Amino acid sequence: MKLLLKHADILTLENGIWRTRKDAYLGIDGDTICYLSETAPQGPWDREKDMRGKLLLPGLINCHDHSPMVFLRGVGSDLNLQDWLYQYIFPMEARWTDEAIRAASDLAILEMLACGTTSFSDMYYHSDQTVQAVTEAGMKANITRSTQGRPGERFEDNVDCREGIALFDQYHNYANGRIRVDFCIHAEYTNLPEIVRAYSAACKERGGRMHLHLSETRREQEACVAKYGKTPAQFFDSLGTFDNPTAAAHCVWVTEEDMDLLKARGVSPVHCPSSNMKIGSGFAPVQQMLDKGLNVTLGTDGAASNNNLNMLEELHLASIIHNGYHHDPTIMKPGDLLRMATVNGAKAQGRSDTGELKVGKKADVIAIDLDRPHLIPALDYPAAIAYSVQDSDVCMTMVDGQILYENGSYLTLDAERIKAEARRLFPVLQG
C-alpha cells in the first residue's frame, strides 16, 4: 500500500543537523519511505492522511530494557543495586513462567508504543515469549537471553549460554528482520572469565552483537579492579567480548582510559538517566563520551528500576541533569540527545535502514500533536522535544509503514485483554 502523510512538519537529519521541513509530505510505499518534500507529490496514493498540526520524527529506539520487569514495577525501592538485585529481584525472577513473561512483554509493548518507541533492545529470560509478543505487535526489537555464570561452572554446562545461542539460531532476523537476536553477558560481577571468553567467541563466530551491563556502580568498578586488576571495560576487552559490536548499558563509572578503549573498540554506551539516579549509581560522563566521538544512545532500563519505559522522559532528564551537575547549560544539546534516541540507537542495534526520516529508510515514524498548550509556540523542535514534549503528546506510532498506535488506540493489540492478563498473572511472582 502507498500512503501519503501530508501537511506535516517533518524533522529530518541532514549532515548531522536537524532540519524542519514545514507543511511537508512524507510518502510511504509498503514499509519504506519513498518521498519526502515540501512539494506535493504526483499520485496516485492508496491512502492520504492529513497530518496538519503534527510533527513527524523518527521513532525512538530504547537501547537498554528488561521489558518483562514491568511486573516488578515498584519492587524493592530505595535500595542500592546489589541489595535490590539479590534480596528482591533475583528471587522473584526465579518464579517466572512462560505465561507470565508473555503477559509482561505484551504490557511493556503497550507502554512503549504509547510513548513513541518503535524498537527496543531487551535483556531477559524466557526470551522466545518476548519474540512472539514483539512479532504480533508489529514492533522491532533486539532480543537477548541474559547469561550468568555460577562458581565452578563450565561453558559447556551453562544453560543460559545454550539458550542464548539457540535463541540466536532460531530467531535472528525473524519477522522480516524486525526481530534481531543479540548475545548477552549480564555483567562482570555475575559471570566467570572462562564463560565470558567462550560466549564472546560464540558471538563472533555467528557474526552477532553483544549487550551487557558495564560499570553501573562504583562498587562494581572498584570490586572488579580489586579482583582482576582491571576495570570492567578492560576485563571484557581482555576476554574478546569487544571483538563483537557491543552495547554497554550505564557506563556511569568508566574512567578516561575506559572511554578511550570503548571508542577504539566501537562500543556504544547506553545512557539510562532515570535508573542511574533512582538507584543512586551516579551521573555517567555522557558529554565527555560524546566529545570523544562515542556512539552514545539512550535506554530506560527496566521498569523495576525506573519505573517506566518512557523514552521521552529519558531524553528530557538527560537534557537537564548533566547541565546542573556540571554547572554548564551549554552541554547536552537537544540535537545531540535526539540523535542518541534515534539514529545512534539504530546504529547500536545494527539497523542501518532506520533511525531517520529519509527516502529509502524504513517507515518507522512517530507523530507529536502540536496542538497542546505546552507546545504553543514550538519555535525550536529539537528543544521542544527535549524540554517540553510529554509522552501523552504522541498521537501516532508507525513501524515499517504500519500504524500500531494512534490517538490512544492500539491497532494490532487487544489492550484490555493484555491489561486483564497482567492483573491475573503478576501475583504469581509474589510467591
Side-chain angles (χ1 to χ4, degrees):
M1 185 184 80
K2 294 186 69 176
L3 168 66
L4 180 66
L5 304 178
K6 59 186 183 179
H7 301 304
D9 289 354
I10 303 175
L11 266 183
T12 60
L13 191 60
E14 301 177 20
N15 298 317
I17 305 298
W18 294 102
R19 175 188 170 191
T20 301
R21 294 175 178 261
K22 293 279 191 176
D23 193 21
Y25 300 80
L26 184 74
I28 299 164
D29 188 356
D31 63 2
T32 303
I33 297 170
C34 64
Y35 186 86
L36 203 166
S37 175
E38 291 94 338
T39 303
Q42 298 297 312
W45 298 88
D46 297 307
R47 182 185 175 197
E48 297 186 16
K49 189 175 178 63
D50 195 319
M51 302 298 288
R52 210 177 309 264
K54 308 297 190 296
L55 171 66
L56 303 185
L57 62 148
L60 305 178
I61 298 175
N62 183 350
C63 280
H64 181 63
D65 173 34
H66 314 280
S67 60
M69 292 183 84
V70 292
F71 273 15
L72 305 181
R73 201 189 314 259
V75 169
S77 297
D78 307 318
L79 292 172
N80 65 56
L81 178 64
Q82 300 297 323
D83 290 342
W84 178 74
L85 285 174
Y86 287 96
Q87 292 180 27
Y88 289 91
I89 300 302
F90 289 161
M92 292 185 72
E93 287 178 332
R95 304 186 188 109
W96 280 113
T97 64
D98 281 354
E99 188 180 29
I101 288 282
R102 174 56 195 268
S105 297
D106 285 336
L107 185 65
I109 287 169
L110 291 184
E111 184 176 353
M112 286 189 277
L113 287 176
C115 298
T117 297
T118 54
S119 186
F120 63 100
S121 292
D122 206 56
M123 177 193 289
Y124 217 61
Y125 317 94
H126 301 259
S127 304
D128 58 321
Q129 299 300 310
T130 305
V131 167
Q132 297 307 321
V134 174
T135 300
E136 292 182 22
M139 281 188 81
K140 294 180 177 177
N142 285 38
I143 296 174
T144 72
R145 199 290 185 212
S146 181
T147 62
Q148 301 182 31
R150 292 83 184 171
E153 188 176 38
R154 299 184 308 161
F155 171 70
E156 294 78 9
D157 301 324
N158 186 287
V159 174
D160 299 356
C161 293
R162 286 204 304 270
E163 290 183 357
I165 292 171
L167 188 77
F168 181 92
D169 291 344
Q170 183 172 0
Y171 289 115
H172 187 53
N173 287 322
Y174 188 68
N176 295 319
R178 287 191 290 107
I179 302 291
R180 306 282 180 90
V181 175
D182 294 344
F183 285 65
C184 172
I185 297 169
H186 177 266
E188 169 274 318
Y189 59 88
T190 53
N191 266 287
L192 306 174
E194 53 269 31
I195 290 179
V196 170
R197 182 183 289 108
Y199 200 52
S200 298
C203 179
K204 186 176 181 180
E205 288 168 8
R206 286 165 171 77
R209 310 181 78 84
M210 186 66 73
H211 186 176
L212 49 79
H213 294 109
L214 185 74
S215 299
E216 183 174 0
T217 65
R218 173 183 280 175
R219 177 177 174 179
E220 172 191 342
Q221 184 87 352
E222 293 177 348
C224 186
V225 172
K227 186 174 183 179
Y228 298 111
K230 299 180 178 73
T231 65
Q234 294 166 339
F235 169 85
F236 283 119
D237 187 54
S238 71
L239 297 171
T241 305
F242 294 162
D243 290 345
N244 306 288
T246 301
H250 302 297
C251 296
V252 177
W253 289 93
V254 288
T255 65
E256 184 92 24
E257 293 75 17
D258 287 340
M259 287 184 273
D260 291 337
L261 173 60
L262 299 182
K263 169 62 177 174
R265 305 297 271 147
V267 175
S268 294
V270 188
H271 183 35
C272 305
S274 290
S275 176
N276 295 159
M277 289 192 294
K278 180 173 184 279
I279 295 179
S281 299
F283 299 88
V286 177
Q287 187 62 53
Q288 196 172 354
M289 288 190 279
L290 289 171
D291 290 343
K292 287 178 176 291
L294 277 81
N295 183 59
V296 185
T297 68
L298 277 177
T300 59
D301 208 354
S305 60
N306 183 302
N307 286 16
N308 61 51
L309 305 179
N310 183 356
M311 277 288 288
L312 286 165
E313 182 174 279
E314 299 307 307
L315 200 156
H316 175 67
L317 287 171
S319 72
I320 59 175
I321 62 174
H322 300 285
N323 295 5
Y325 180 75
H326 291 285
H327 309 288
D328 185 353
T330 68
I331 63 174
M332 300 302 293
K333 293 179 171 58
D336 293 338
L337 289 153
L338 191 52
R339 283 192 294 273
M340 287 164 58
T342 56
V343 67
N344 289 13
K347 181 178 178 180
Q349 287 193 330
R351 297 181 184 272
S352 60
D353 59 358
T354 189
E356 55 182 314
L357 302 186
K358 184 178 181 181
V359 172
K361 298 286 187 178
K362 295 293 186 182
D364 299 336
V365 187
I366 65 173
I368 303 295
D369 184 358
L370 298 173
D371 189 28
R372 304 295 174 94
H374 54 276
L375 293 176
I376 300 172
L379 304 177
D380 178 334
Y381 283 141
I385 294 166
Y387 304 130
S388 302
V389 168
Q390 306 295 310
D391 60 323
S392 57
D393 302 329
V394 175
C395 58
M396 185 190 77
T397 301
M398 169 189 287
V399 176
D400 278 359
Q402 181 182 16
I403 297 174
L404 307 183
Y405 171 86
E406 188 170 28
N407 297 322
S409 297
Y410 297 90
L411 306 186
T412 59
L413 298 169
D414 184 341
E416 294 309 311
R417 179 196 63 77
I418 288 170
K419 289 185 283 187
E421 276 292 278
R423 293 187 181 102
R424 182 177 73 85
L425 287 169
F426 83 82
V428 172
L429 303 182
Q430 308 301 315

